[in-house]
Amino acid sequence: MTTIPPTLERWRLQWQQRPRRERHTIIVLAVLVVAALLWLWLWLPLTQHLQHLQRELPFARAQLEQAQRQFDESAGLNRQTATPSTADTRAAIERAAARFNIATAIVTLDVQQNTASITFSALSFGTLVQWLETLQREEHFYVTAATLTPLADTTGKHAGRQLRADLILARSSP
């Protein structure tokens, strides 16, 4: 048979000596304290975290929708034709330049297999970017080197609108 430690035995005797109503009140208070602690340490943080997540949900959904749109867009780009529109490098560059009305700005165009060295005398940066994007998307060209020089206007200030562009383009294989 096991013996009860003296401290526990003393507490047990004190507990039994208390009136029944007092023992009942102590038990009720202990249950209330435990319930309050559980509410404070468990329930309250969980509900606050849940409310925080509910406030963040619309933002997360918007991010998901944007990611899905970007994925769909990239999947659509991958579905585009893998072969260039024009097999001839020079013809592809000249055709794209004519489409953007910059063919007259071409000073030199040197083509060797799938690379091209091009110099434009004057064109806007926006037009250059659009033209290069079209060449990349439709003809699979990418820039390997570029030197862009802003052109000065008659007053000697940089106009910032026109530039000279020396480019080396390469054509990737499909």
Side-chain angles (χ1 to χ4, degrees):
M1 194 151 140
T2 24
T3 59
I4 300 174
T7 308
L8 273 174
E9 183 61 31
R10 198 170 355 112
W11 285 354
R12 189 180 68 77
L13 288 174
Q14 286 177 351
W15 179 256
Q16 288 177 348
Q17 290 174 355
R18 294 186 185 274
R20 183 178 166 107
R21 188 175 182 100
E22 186 179 337
R23 283 187 292 183
H24 181 68
T25 304
I26 292 172
I27 290 173
V28 168
L29 286 175
V31 168
L32 287 174
V33 167
V34 169
L37 291 176
L38 286 174
W39 179 82
L40 185 64
W41 289 336
L42 290 175
W43 184 256
L44 186 61
L46 286 175
T47 57
Q48 288 174 343
H49 185 66
L50 181 62
Q51 289 171 353
H52 172 73
L53 290 176
Q54 287 174 338
R55 284 191 306 270
E56 295 294 319
L57 184 61
F59 178 70
R61 283 185 177 154
Q63 284 182 320
L64 175 62
E65 288 173 8
Q66 181 182 5
Q68 286 174 332
R69 279 193 305 272
Q70 289 173 344
F71 175 77
D72 292 343
E73 182 179 315
S74 68
L77 290 175
N78 288 338
R79 279 187 241 115
Q80 290 180 353
T81 60
T83 58
S85 300
T86 308
D88 181 22
T89 300
R90 178 179 295 275
I93 291 171
E94 289 174 343
R95 191 183 79 236
R99 229 167 87 192
F100 283 86
N101 297 323
I102 57 173
T104 57
I106 296 176
V107 177
T108 60
L109 174 56
D110 182 32
V111 177
Q112 295 177 0
Q113 293 181 352
N114 285 336
T115 61
S117 175
I118 307 165
T119 301
F120 288 99
S121 61
L123 75 159
S124 72
F125 182 75
T127 302
L128 177 65
V129 170
Q130 290 174 346
W131 179 72
L132 288 172
E133 192 273 331
T134 299
L135 275 179
Q136 189 278 325
R137 185 181 64 247
E138 295 176 3
E139 302 293 343
H140 307 283
F141 281 98
Y142 59 95
V143 178
T144 60
T147 303
L148 305 177
T149 309
L151 298 176
D153 64 12
T154 56
T155 62
K157 297 180 182 177
H158 288 293
R161 293 187 181 139
Q162 296 290 308
L163 54 91
R164 175 187 167 96
D166 297 299
L167 306 169
I168 298 177
L169 302 176
R171 195 175 214 177
S172 60
S173 57

